[in-house]
Amino acid sequence: MRDWDRSLRSRNHPETTRYNYLLAVSQLARFLSTEAKVDADCVAAAGDPTEVRRGHVEAFQAWMIESRSAATALNKHKGLQQFFKWLQWDEEEIERSPMDRLRQPKVEKRLVPVIRDDDTGKVLRTCKGKEFVHLRDEAIIRLYYNTGARLSEVGNLNLADIDLDRDAVLYRGKGGKERRVRFGPRTGRALSRYLRARERHAAAALPELWLAERGQRCLTPNGIKLMLKRRGRAAGVSKVHAHRWRHNFAHEWKRAGGDTGDLMLLLGWSSEDMPRHYGASAAAERAQETQLRMGIGENV
């Protein structure tokens, strides 16, 4: 795993991707040593990946589906696929991958509901106040709401990435791709208020934009994830997470008749499948609004 991680780093894989890949391998090893009842070779396979067979991985996937979900099992499948591909072609430790001809778990597509303006308003109202943590959290939430950025993109911002003269933010997306996105007056005001408070913080010299409430530490993307859940509970809004604002951004863009190519640039997408996926939960609503606007069948 250490050697594979070195290889992943040399190819500039994002930290989150490396973490998920390595987690899949370690979970397979743990499963083979504690849960698996496939054959007598499971213990040997748990300590030596060259001993892993197709049946071991199939049992692991089935266990993942039963104990977690099909979506999680699919995530592990993709990670293991990359690991054994590296073991076969890069390291030449195995002649054939146990993933060969192993089908991916079937996953039912679930629509992610957009987060409505009234729910966003409820969450933002929990940030009222002049305390540092309230100013910080409002600025974070408004960036997600206003720009549709990924959790990690906002979470990994540096102070130098915010340009208040042009009301723009520099995001680093998947694969290290950079893009500059504009934000509106309310988001700009929230950022300005936070930055003034940040200047008085004990950790003001840190390059990271978001600082922890206390101590000389930055606020990590995982810390932001927990903060959003906490704010959601306080507001009485369920399932508050950054990706819901990303779906909302795509929905509102399409609703306003925005160009799909421009949307892809703003949200950092390279695949044309993504615009169809994001905001799909509100697609029927957009279709009904278009139907009423066209007035088909109302001309006589």
Side-chain angles (χ1 to χ4, degrees):
M1 287 175 62
R2 180 197 61 213
D3 294 341
W4 186 39
D5 187 39
R6 185 188 302 112
S7 175
L8 293 172
R9 282 187 283 113
S10 73
R11 286 178 279 160
N12 199 31
H13 279 278
E15 183 179 351
T16 52
T17 300
R18 286 169 30 227
Y19 172 81
N20 287 328
Y21 281 178
L22 293 166
L23 181 62
V25 177
S26 64
Q27 286 176 324
L28 172 63
R30 194 177 307 120
F31 167 78
L32 292 172
S33 63
T34 59
E35 301 284 344
K37 298 177 182 177
V38 182
D39 54 41
D41 296 331
C42 284
V43 175
D48 184 353
T50 65
E51 296 295 328
V52 174
R53 301 292 177 259
R54 175 173 172 165
H56 298 145
V57 182
E58 286 178 330
F60 174 65
Q61 285 188 178
W63 178 73
M64 270 289 168
I65 293 171
E66 294 166 4
S67 60
R68 271 79 162 182
S69 67
T72 302
L74 176 60
N75 181 277
K76 307 306 173 186
H77 177 100
K78 292 178 179 178
L80 293 174
Q81 203 169 40
Q82 294 302 314
F83 173 68
F84 287 108
K85 184 178 179 181
W86 168 78
L87 206 62
Q88 179 183 7
W89 298 108
D90 290 27
E91 299 302 300
E92 299 181 348
E93 291 280 353
I94 55 177
E95 292 184 2
R96 184 177 181 182
S97 168
M99 308 298 295
D100 280 356
R101 299 185 181 181
L102 180 60
R103 294 185 182 275
Q104 294 182 350
K106 288 186 178 181
V107 179
E108 294 180 1
K109 288 187 177 180
R110 295 184 179 180
L111 297 175
V112 177
V114 299
I115 185 165
R116 302 291 178 174
D117 289 349
D118 56 346
D119 282 340
T120 299
K122 291 176 184 177
V123 177
L124 284 170
R125 281 193 286 276
T126 69
C127 302
K128 292 299 180 184
K130 295 184 178 180
E131 293 87 352
F132 175 84
V133 68
H134 291 326
L135 297 174
R136 181 200 67 189
D137 292 356
E138 180 180 356
I140 291 171
I141 292 167
R142 285 199 176 277
L143 266 180
Y144 285 124
Y145 180 40
N146 196 193
T147 66
R150 299 178 178 93
L151 173 69
S152 60
E153 290 173 343
V154 172
N156 290 324
L157 284 173
N158 289 324
L159 196 59
D161 296 328
I162 299 294
D163 186 345
L164 291 177
D165 293 326
R166 295 178 176 83
D167 287 343
V169 55
L170 179 65
Y171 287 132
R172 293 170 185 83
K174 292 183 177 180
K177 295 178 181 177
E178 293 185 348
R179 69 184 190 281
R180 196 172 296 277
V181 179
R182 300 291 296 273
F183 51 77
R186 292 186 179 181
T187 302
R189 179 172 179 266
L191 282 166
S192 294
R193 294 177 68 194
Y194 165 68
L195 289 173
R196 291 197 298 271
R198 187 187 183 282
E199 290 175 355
R200 302 187 293 272
H201 195 282
L206 290 178
E208 291 86 357
L209 177 61
W210 311 116
L211 303 180
E213 184 177 3
R214 297 181 182 85
Q216 297 195 17
R217 298 178 293 110
C218 65
L219 182 69
T220 65
N222 189 59
I224 291 177
K225 183 178 180 180
L226 296 175
M227 177 275 286
L228 294 176
K229 287 184 178 181
R230 188 171 63 251
R231 291 288 182 186
R233 286 195 298 269
V237 180
S238 62
K239 298 181 179 179
V240 174
H241 53 82
H243 240 60
R244 288 190 66 188
W245 280 299
R246 192 163 170 82
H247 280 264
N248 179 73
F249 189 96
H251 166 60
E252 293 295 343
W253 182 273
K254 292 177 182 178
R255 190 180 184 185
D259 181 75
T260 298
D262 291 341
L263 178 63
M264 291 177 66
L265 288 173
L266 287 173
L267 296 189
W269 291 329
S270 56
S271 170
E272 294 184 358
D273 291 334
M274 301 310 289
R276 288 191 290 270
H277 171 64
Y278 278 77
S281 59
E285 177 185 327
R286 294 195 300 275
Q288 290 163 10
E289 289 175 352
T290 302
Q291 178 191 8
L292 289 174
R293 188 172 65 251
M294 288 180 170
I296 297 172
E298 292 292 324
N299 296 323
V300 178

